[in-house]
Amino acid sequence: MKYLALAVNLVLFVLTGAYSQRLETVVQRGHYEAVKAVTFTLDGKYLLSGSRDKSIKLWELATGREIRSYLGHQS
């Protein structure tokens, strides 16, 4: 979970030019098992993470907040 928060912050840092702004760490408690896959939407506004807890989470990169959960995937 802490790695996902670090990854989101790094992406925000690079994509938004946050290097000239103060960074804020957002601790996410979304997945309760290992995250196995991460991808970005084509517009770069969202990140999707898939976990062994059989959930997929949609994250808004601008805020680092979880937007939606999709439960019950099989792989």
Side-chain angles (χ1 to χ4, degrees):
M1 286 181 271
K2 68 180 178 179
Y3 297 115
L4 179 60
L6 291 173
V8 169
N9 278 323
L10 179 60
V11 169
L12 286 171
F13 180 80
V14 172
L15 293 179
T16 64
Y19 50 84
S20 64
Q21 302 171 5
R22 186 176 150 264
L23 290 178
E24 178 183 343
T25 301
V26 178
V27 177
Q28 299 297 343
R29 302 185 192 279
H31 292 291
Y32 58 88
E33 290 195 29
V35 172
K36 299 300 287 180
V38 176
T39 191
F40 299 93
T41 58
L42 292 176
D43 60 9
K45 293 182 181 180
Y46 302 98
L47 176 139
L48 289 127
S49 57
S51 171
R52 286 189 175 182
D53 64 9
K54 294 187 173 34
S55 71
I56 297 172
K57 306 281 184 180
L58 176 64
W59 308 92
E60 183 178 42
L61 288 177
T63 64
R65 291 197 169 101
E66 181 183 328
I67 303 298
R68 184 168 293 166
S69 290
Y70 304 92
L71 304 175
H73 71 81
Q74 298 300 310
S75 59

